[in-house]
Amino acid sequence: KVPEEISGITEIRIVDLRGSVLMLKNNPSFVSGISELDLSGISNGVYLLRITTGGNSENYKLVKE
């Protein structure tokens, strides 16, 4: 889940440790301020979750087990 305190998200991107983009969502839709991502097509491992709001990007560590 994407944290509720982040608003105005224009892009969500999941990148593997080699820099390959595995998922890209532009202008994601939200329910009650939370966006859920379907990670079923992504293998278990460690990834980078990049959330862009306007011109700013924040990176988060994403672990799928």
Side-chain angles (χ1 to χ4, degrees):
K1 292 184 178 181
V2 175
E4 287 185 56
E5 64 271 8
I6 298 175
S7 62
I9 295 175
T10 56
E11 181 182 278
I12 295 175
R13 183 181 296 235
I14 297 177
V15 180
D16 69 14
L17 297 180
R18 293 177 299 211
S20 298
V21 176
L22 304 177
M23 179 185 293
L24 175 62
K25 298 237 181 224
N26 288 307
N27 300 312
S29 59
F30 294 92
V31 177
S32 301
I34 296 200
S35 177
E36 293 187 6
L37 299 174
D38 179 9
L39 301 179
S40 60
I42 296 177
S43 301
N44 291 351
V46 178
Y47 302 94
L48 174 70
L49 172 66
R50 177 172 289 161
I51 298 176
T52 302
T53 57
N56 300 316
S57 292
E58 293 287 332
N59 295 316
Y60 300 89
K61 179 180 177 181
L62 172 67
V63 179
K64 182 179 181 215
E65 300 177 332

